Amino acid sequence: MAEELLFIEHLKKGYNDEQDVLKDISFTVHKGEVIVVIGPSGCGKSTLLRCINALEPIQGGEIRLGDQRIERSSRNLTQLRQRIGMVFQSYELFPHLTVLDNILLAPCKVQGRKKNEVREEALALLERVGLKDRAESYPRELSGGQKQRVAIVRALCMHPEILLFDEVTAALDPEMVREVLDVVLDLAKQGRTMLIVTHEMQFARAIADRILFLDQGEIVEDTTPEEFFEHPKTERAKQFLNIFEFDDIKK
């Protein structure tokens, strides 16, 4: 069994007096493992990722990366966040910076690495995702799929131990989805540790080592993609899967 990397124990998250968004969530991520989180809208998928990266305060439980607890009040939060790469559905690129400068900013300013070293790495990664020729372009000159690939390269240049992907294809036109998913599939083949929120069921089945199915803030199923898509154990999972072209997923 691979090394245990991320620990989520009895996590609870709520907003004001509303019902808890996340209710007693517990699971472990092993090094090199790809976990895909799926479920209906509003079940807490994106909130879970934001809690892991301490973008949201939690009301109970514990999140640890290795032996270090992740808390918004942690003195070493900046260092902890450098170990966790997060890619949002909205890209979050600076419009006044070129593609290359967007990528170089955090490694040079936050990690204090040498610009020439990071530049060489960034160009190599851009080449891998088919965007080396757009290094001096500005975000406004890119398609949605290209912006998302740049956001992935930016996260990789920080050398994170785990990557979080929050619905990275949700804002894309259908023809752009494939180019982004291919990049993420390539990262899985490289043995990257990833936690992915997606509504792309075929992609989920192809890339996941484990599926976490969330509903109403709880983990309803935690199993292999084969078991989940072919033999879901709960009626709620069966109802959810019936929405999709399930025959296409099985092919």
Side-chain angles (χ1 to χ4, degrees), residues 49 54 77 79 90-92 98 113 134 193 200 203 207 225 231:
L49 295 194
L77 183 58
Q79 287 72 30
S90 55
Y91 325 128
E92 304 291 339
T98 65
R113 291 161 56 193
R134 306 309 299 269
T193 309
E200 302 282 346
F203 171 67
I207 198 171
H231 308 290

Side-chain angles (χ1 to χ4, degrees), residues 50 85-95 97-99 102-103 105 131 138-156 164-177 179-181:
R50 292 179 62 84
M86 187 158 181
V87 183
F88 302 86
Q89 58 179 283
S90 55
Y91 325 128
E92 304 291 339
L93 299 177
F94 291 106
L97 297 180
T98 65
V99 164
N102 262 284
I103 297 169
L105 186 62
L131 290 176
Y138 288 88
R140 65 178 178 273
E141 300 170 324
L142 304 180
S143 69
Q146 289 171 331
K147 291 176 187 176
Q148 198 58 281
R149 283 182 280 164
V150 171
I152 292 171
V153 169
R154 180 180 57 184
L156 290 173
L164 311 178
F165 291 93
D166 185 16
E167 295 278 21
V168 292
T169 62
L172 301 180
D173 293 333
E175 64 268 22
M176 298 176 185
V177 170
E179 63 189 49
V180 174
L181 296 186

Side-chain angles (χ1 to χ4, degrees), residues 8-25 47-48 50-52 54-63 69-72:
I8 314 292
E9 297 177 350
H10 304 296
L11 174 63
K12 294 182 180 180
K13 168 64 185 174
Y15 293 102
N16 300 322
D17 296 327
E18 297 180 16
Q19 187 177 13
D20 286 345
V21 177
L22 298 173
K23 308 170 186 176
D24 200 23
I25 298 286
T47 300
L48 172 61
R50 292 179 62 84
C51 288
I52 291 171
L55 294 173
E56 295 279 357
I58 64 175
Q59 279 67 56
E62 184 177 76
I63 303 170
R69 187 167 180 170
I70 300 173
E71 296 178 298
R72 285 169 62 89

Side-chain angles (χ1 to χ4, degrees), residues 16-213:
N16 300 322
D17 296 327
E18 297 180 16
Q19 187 177 13
D20 286 345
V21 177
L22 298 173
K23 308 170 186 176
D24 200 23
I25 298 286
S26 296
F27 65 95
T28 301
V29 183
H30 293 82
K31 188 173 182 180
E33 189 174 31
V34 178
I35 296 180
V36 175
V37 184
I38 61 178
S41 297
C43 70
K45 304 184 299 295
S46 294
T47 300
L48 172 61
L49 295 194
R50 292 179 62 84
C51 288
I52 291 171
N53 209 20
L55 294 173
E56 295 279 357
I58 64 175
Q59 279 67 56
E62 184 177 76
I63 303 170
R64 286 183 289 116
L65 185 61
D67 60 356
Q68 293 189 290
R69 187 167 180 170
I70 300 173
E71 296 178 298
R72 285 169 62 89
S73 59
S74 298
R75 292 184 178 179
N76 63 339
L77 183 58
T78 299
Q79 287 72 30
L80 280 170
R81 279 180 171 159
Q82 291 176 45
R83 299 169 61 191
I84 304 171
M86 187 158 181
V87 183
F88 302 86
Q89 58 179 283
S90 55
Y91 325 128
E92 304 291 339
L93 299 177
F94 291 106
H96 64 290
L97 297 180
T98 65
V99 164
L100 189 57
D101 287 338
N102 262 284
I103 297 169
L104 297 181
L105 186 62
C108 293
K109 295 292 185 181
V110 178
Q111 295 181 328
R113 291 161 56 193
K114 294 181 180 178
K115 187 173 182 179
N116 287 342
E117 167 201 321
V118 181
R119 186 177 188 277
E120 184 177 338
E121 180 183 3
L123 289 173
L125 286 168
L126 284 171
E127 184 171 25
R128 180 178 289 178
V129 302
L131 290 176
K132 187 176 181 180
D133 61 333
R134 306 309 299 269
E136 299 302 327
S137 299
Y138 288 88
R140 65 178 178 273
E141 300 170 324
L142 304 180
S143 69
Q146 289 171 331
K147 291 176 187 176
Q148 198 58 281
R149 283 182 280 164
V150 171
I152 292 171
V153 169
R154 180 180 57 184
L156 290 173
C157 268
M158 294 294 287
H159 300 165
E161 296 175 42
I162 184 169
L163 286 163
L164 311 178
F165 291 93
D166 185 16
E167 295 278 21
V168 292
T169 62
L172 301 180
D173 293 333
E175 64 268 22
M176 298 176 185
V177 170
R178 185 75 257 167
E179 63 189 49
V180 174
L181 296 186
D182 283 344
V183 171
V184 182
L185 282 165
D186 187 52
L187 293 174
K189 292 175 183 175
Q190 295 171 30
R192 298 274 185 174
T193 309
M194 295 188 284
L195 192 57
I196 302 169
V197 167
T198 186
H199 62 277
E200 302 282 346
M201 294 297 103
Q202 290 178 317
F203 171 67
R205 178 160 187 170
I207 198 171
D209 295 310
R210 279 166 62 199
I211 296 285
L212 294 186
F213 176 61

